[in-house]
């Protein structure tokens, strides 16, 4: 039955599968079996040739992590670039996902527990948002690389909680449960996960402590729009202390680059293609304008339902000072309009030491930060 990938190796494969659109919640599962080499009694480098092995081969810089049964599973895998983890207790059913005749991997829930032993709490929370969301990071460059969206969630917070509830006194269980308390389902993008993480984590961990937050909650908008308009809106992030929240408006919400490219094309094409290029420029401009109009309509419809949603841009995430300014405006709105007691959150904002921790956390969660080259970053 090949070999069962675990820990960081399983995370790499999980991301590759999600990049291909796989739904891990629907994949077949098998029991954990001893590793079986292609031929002979022990695994060799030949078992990881591209002709027979679908994943990255083990190397000094990227060792292969595998999990084996507690009894008799280690003997035939003795390679310097393979890290063997023994089964630590009786695992729940459906803990191992079948990949192909040569490999299997731990399920997302067991992966989350394993990673708890090596990730810091904020990194583990970010991984939770990724696993329970509809986006996936790049296996080779998790923070700096491209992020794919519109993929099935690998698991849910409910499934993670149920799975972790089956373990007692195992390594990483306390951190995994603590991290899960700050995770919400339905993150649609990496920026949403960053915002969910920093607003959920307590100040001692560099966050604002303003959770639990809800991501992409459905808000019906009856009577607030004309026929043909959206009948529901989904604020990216909602807070629990008042009907306030935020929407992350990325580059696609005001895609000026697309307009610039289309305009440049008009200048560069030959005369016979100019009319087509001009029509493309008109369509691109109209599309960008339509997106801006829809964003404004979204905010008005939500306001009509008593929801105040603040637009957030990537510039707001450029430093904790910028994000603090936005957060103060949100808290002021919650207090002034809805009468919420936000004094505890304001006190945390005014704490100088906490502000430094927020800056460090934000740097580590965004491209170019401290984790930019960290393998397995979530």
């Amino acid at each position: 039955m090949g070999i069962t990938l675990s820990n960081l190796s399983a995370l790499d494969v999980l991301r590759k599968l999600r990049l291909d659109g796989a739904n891990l919640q629907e994949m077949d599962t098998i029991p954990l079996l001893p590793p079986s080499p292609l031929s002979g009694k022990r695994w060799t480098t030949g078992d990881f040739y591209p002709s027979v092995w679908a994943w990255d081969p083990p190397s000094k810089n990227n060792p292969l992590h595998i999990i084996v049964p507690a009894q008799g599973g280690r003997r035939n895998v003795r390679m310097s670039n393979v890290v063997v983890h023994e089964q630590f207790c009786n695992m729940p059913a459906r803990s191992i996902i079948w990949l192909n005749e040569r490999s299997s991997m731990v399920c997302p829930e067991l992966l989350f527990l394993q990673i708890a032993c090596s990730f810091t709490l904020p990194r583990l929370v970010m991984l939770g948002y990724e696993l329970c969301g509809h986006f996936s990071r790049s296996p080779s460059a998790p923070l700096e690389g491209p992020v794919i969206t519109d993929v099935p969630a690998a698991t849910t917070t409910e499934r993670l909680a149920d799975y972790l509830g089956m373990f007692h006194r195992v390594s990483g269980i306390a951190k995994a449960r603590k991290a899960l308390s700050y995770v919400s389902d339905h993150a649609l993008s990496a920026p949403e996960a960053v915002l969910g993480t920093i607003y959920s984590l307590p100040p001692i961990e560099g966050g604002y402590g303003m959770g639990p937050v809800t991501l992409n909650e459905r808000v019906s908008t009856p009577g607030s729009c004309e026929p043909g308009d959206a009948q529901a809106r989904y604020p990216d992030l909602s807070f629990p202390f008042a009907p306030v929240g935020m929407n992350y408006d990325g580059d696609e919400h005001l895609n000026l680059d697309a307009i610039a490219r289309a305009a440049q094309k008009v200048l560069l094409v030959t005369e016979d293609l100019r009319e087509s290029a001009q029509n493309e420029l008109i369509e691109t401009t109209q599309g960008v304008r339509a997106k801006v109009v829809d964003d404004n309509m979204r905010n008005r419809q939500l306001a009509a339902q008593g929801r105040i949603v603040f637009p957030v841009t990537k510039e707001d995430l450029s430093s904790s000072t910028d994000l603090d300014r936005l957060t103060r405006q949100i808290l002021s709105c919650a207090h002034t309009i809805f009468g919420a007691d936000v004094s505890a959150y304001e006190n945390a904002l005014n704490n100088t030491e906490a502000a430094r921790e927020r800056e460090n956390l934000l740097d580590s969660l965004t491209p170019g930060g401290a984790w930019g080259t960290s393998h397995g970053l979530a």
Side-chain angles (χ1 to χ4, degrees), residues 266-320:
V266 172
L267 298 176
L268 296 178
V269 297
T270 56
E271 184 66 31
D272 60 316
L273 298 175
R274 185 154 298 154
E275 181 178 355
S276 175
Q278 289 173 335
N279 290 335
E280 182 179 338
L281 173 59
I282 293 171
E283 292 177 3
T284 301
T285 304
Q286 290 175 340
V288 171
R289 180 64 183 173
K291 183 59 179 172
V292 173
V293 170
D294 184 66
D295 286 344
N296 288 325
M297 176 63 75
R298 171 201 67 194
N299 294 340
R300 294 203 302 266
Q301 287 179 291
L302 289 169
Q305 298 303 311
R307 299 284 189 107
I308 306 299
V309 177
F310 286 70
V312 183
T313 66
K314 65 179 181 181
E315 286 77 12
D316 293 312
L317 296 176
S318 62
S319 72
S320 64

Side-chain angles (χ1 to χ4, degrees), residues 347-358:
N347 290 338
L349 270 171
N350 294 329
N351 185 304
T352 304
E353 182 61 32
R356 283 195 291 267
E357 292 297 325
R358 275 197 305 279

